[in-house]
């Protein structure tokens, strides 16, 4: 069983998480939506925390050993490939958002708080959420700004710390320490929700969860295929269910319970991925994960454009209009994935320095 086959389920989960973020942003505008559903969707922002864990997990699997054993050329290759993964699509969506902002300004409907042109260069450079700006332009892009920082930190630290040499107990302790540190930082700031103070706390939130994800990957590599894997998966399921349930009823703080529950859930999904009849292995749901990055980036500016073009009352959008918007997001995701994201990756990843001609 290959790593690629085993991780198909994780790609599928990424797609589901992206759509949770979509419905989080539009939940208050859906006319007639049952209040308990609105309340449930109000926690959709927490899907980003799962993204951070998952990102650390897959990055360590793909690059942990290569970066340790390679030199500067390998580090350069890693950073180039990560930039190829996140920047071209971000650049295209941000440019589209900027054009929309210019059109609004030209028609007297400018929104300088949402579209501050003075801060636009920071957003193009993906450094806006390094404590340099507030949420603006394409709001969800704050998380990939933090991801870029995590990539740079990962490339610097991976040569110092070899997770393969640490015992399972040590790895578990580091993962727990990172989760406790995240909770402690939020508590010291008097913050109770992971989505609070994103311009100030987003970088910490991403870095610690990304680091925890790398630890989970090292544990998965060590535990997968062993006889004890099923027992470990069962324990992870119990931890995930307990942490998420206790957080939901308010007995455990969100800043501790959600990251702990998601970490256990990620480990559970990884340990059980690739098994027969896993619903997350299907082609359709896996494709949803393939295009999830495009879904995540395009849905927010597209919602703004959709309301301007088709909606009279932004606080009570009919279900049929919501269905139209959802269809537009899906179509845009597919087009951006095949027309921008993948071609840009292939072009950038295939580019090589030209060697000087021998004399």
């Amino acid at each position: 069983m290959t790593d690629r086959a085993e991780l198909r389920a994780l790609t599928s989960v990424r797609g589901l998480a992206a759509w949770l973020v979509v419905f989080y942003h539009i939940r208050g505008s859906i006319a007639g939506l049952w209040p308990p559903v609105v309340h449930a969707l109000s926690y959709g922002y927490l899907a980003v925390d799962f993204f951070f864990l998952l990102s650390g997990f897959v990055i360590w699997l793909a690059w942990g050993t290569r970066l340790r054993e390679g030199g500067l050329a390998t580090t350069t290759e890693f950073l180039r490939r990560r930039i190829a993964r996140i920047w071209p699509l971000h650049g295209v969506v941000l440019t589209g958002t900027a054009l929309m902002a210019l059109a609004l300004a030209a028609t007297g409907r400018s929104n300088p708080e949402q579209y501050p042109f003075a801060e636009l260069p920071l957003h193009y450079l993906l450094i806006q959420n390094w404590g340099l700006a507030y949420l603006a332009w394409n709001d969800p892009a704050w998380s990939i700004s933090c991801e870029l920082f995590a990539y740079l930190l990962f490339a610097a630290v991976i040569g110092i710390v070899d997770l393969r040499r640490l015992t399972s107990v040590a790895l578990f302790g580091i993962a727990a320490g990172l989760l406790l540190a995240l909770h402690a930082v939020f508590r010291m700031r008097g913050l109770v929700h992971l989505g609070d103070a994103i311009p100030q706390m987003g970088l910490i939130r991403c870095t610690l969860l990304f680091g925890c994800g790398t630890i989970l990957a090292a544990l998965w590599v060590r535990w997968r295929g062993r006889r004890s894997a099923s027992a470990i998966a069962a324990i992870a399921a119990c931890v995930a269910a307990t942490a998420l349930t206790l957080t939901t009823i308010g007995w455990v703080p969100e800043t501790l319970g959600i990251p702990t529950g998601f970490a256990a859930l990620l480990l559970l999904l990884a340990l059980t991925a690739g098994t027969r009849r896993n619903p997350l292995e299907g082609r359709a749901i896996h494709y949803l994960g393939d295009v999830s990055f495009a879904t995540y980036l395009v849905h927010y500016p597209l919602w703004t454009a959709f309301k301007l073009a088709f909606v009279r009352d932004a606080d009570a959008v009919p279900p049929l209009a919501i269905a139209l918007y959802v269809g537009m997001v899906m179509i845009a995701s597919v087009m951006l994935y095949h027309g921008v994201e993948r071609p840009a990756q292939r072009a950038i990843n295939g580019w090589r320095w030209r060697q000087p001609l021998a004399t």
Side-chain angles (χ1 to χ4, degrees):
M1 187 181 299
T2 65
D3 289 356
R4 183 177 179 181
E6 287 175 307
L7 294 177
R8 281 181 60 88
L10 299 186
T11 299
S12 301
V13 171
R14 190 176 66 203
L16 297 176
W19 278 98
L20 282 176
V21 176
V22 174
F23 281 100
Y24 164 73
H25 282 130
I26 69 173
R27 69 193 186 284
S29 298
I30 305 176
L33 191 62
W34 194 31
V37 176
V38 176
H39 178 72
L41 292 176
S42 70
Y43 293 100
Y45 66 92
L46 296 171
V48 178
D49 297 279
F50 189 83
F51 285 146
F52 292 149
L53 285 163
L54 180 57
S55 182
F57 189 99
V58 298
I59 291 297
W60 189 86
L61 283 182
W63 288 95
T65 301
R66 293 168 64 183
L67 285 174
R68 279 196 59 80
E69 297 176 351
L72 179 61
T74 304
T75 301
T76 302
E77 177 73 6
F78 165 72
L79 293 175
R80 182 180 65 170
R81 286 183 174 273
R82 296 324 300 164
I83 291 173
R85 175 72 177 89
I86 64 174
W87 195 87
L89 185 59
H90 162 70
V92 168
V93 174
L94 182 58
T95 298
T97 306
L99 292 174
M100 180 174 64
L102 287 172
L104 290 174
T107 55
R109 295 178 291 175
S110 62
N111 185 351
E113 292 185 0
Q114 180 61 37
Y115 306 118
F117 281 92
E119 296 179 2
L120 188 55
L122 299 176
H123 291 262
Y124 269 109
L125 293 172
L126 270 179
I127 59 174
Q128 73 272 22
N129 219 78
W130 295 12
L132 302 174
Y134 291 94
L135 289 182
W137 293 98
N138 186 12
D139 285 16
W142 74 266
S143 63
I144 59 171
S145 171
C146 296
E147 285 261 354
L148 177 60
F149 182 88
Y151 298 154
L152 296 171
L153 186 61
F154 177 77
V157 172
I158 197 65
I160 302 172
V161 181
D162 188 356
L163 300 182
R164 299 170 301 175
R165 295 183 178 274
L166 300 178
T167 66
S168 296
V169 173
L171 289 173
F172 182 82
I174 294 172
L178 291 172
L179 296 176
L180 288 171
L182 178 64
H183 170 62
V185 171
F186 271 80
R187 185 172 182 178
M188 285 189 296
R189 294 288 300 271
L191 304 173
V192 297
H193 299 294
L194 287 165
D196 290 340
I198 286 176
Q200 295 77 33
M201 302 300 292
L203 205 61
I204 297 172
R205 180 179 167 193
C206 172
T207 302
L208 294 177
L209 290 174
F210 186 98
C212 184
T214 66
I215 305 298
L216 295 176
L219 288 171
W220 175 74
V221 168
R222 188 168 300 180
W223 291 340
R224 62 171 179 161
R226 292 189 177 183
R227 293 181 179 179
S228 58
S230 296
I232 295 171
I235 294 172
C238 291
V239 172
T242 301
L244 297 176
T245 300
L246 293 180
T247 303
T248 300
I249 63 179
W251 290 8
V252 173
E254 177 183 298
T255 52
L256 178 62
I258 293 298
T260 301
F262 281 175
L265 179 61
L266 175 57
L267 186 58
L268 170 65
L269 291 170
L271 287 170
T272 58
T275 57
R276 292 182 177 181
R277 298 181 180 178
N278 188 332
L280 296 174
E281 300 286 338
R283 289 186 179 181
I285 193 170
H286 183 264
Y287 184 73
L288 204 66
D290 283 338
V291 302
S292 61
F293 184 50
T295 301
Y296 181 74
L297 280 188
V298 78
H299 81 271
Y300 195 84
L302 187 57
W303 178 236
T304 300
F306 181 83
K307 288 187 293 184
L308 289 170
F310 299 106
V311 175
R312 294 182 179 179
D313 184 358
D315 295 324
V317 182
L320 284 178
I322 293 294
L324 174 61
Y325 164 72
V326 168
M328 291 173 64
V329 171
M330 193 65 220
I331 293 171
S333 299
V334 172
M335 293 177 64
L336 288 170
Y337 175 73
H338 291 287
V340 177
E341 185 179 346
R342 294 299 293 156
Q345 280 185 266
R346 287 193 295 267
I348 295 174
N349 292 339
W351 183 77
R352 295 289 185 271
W353 287 100
R354 289 187 178 182
Q355 298 294 329
L357 296 175
T359 57

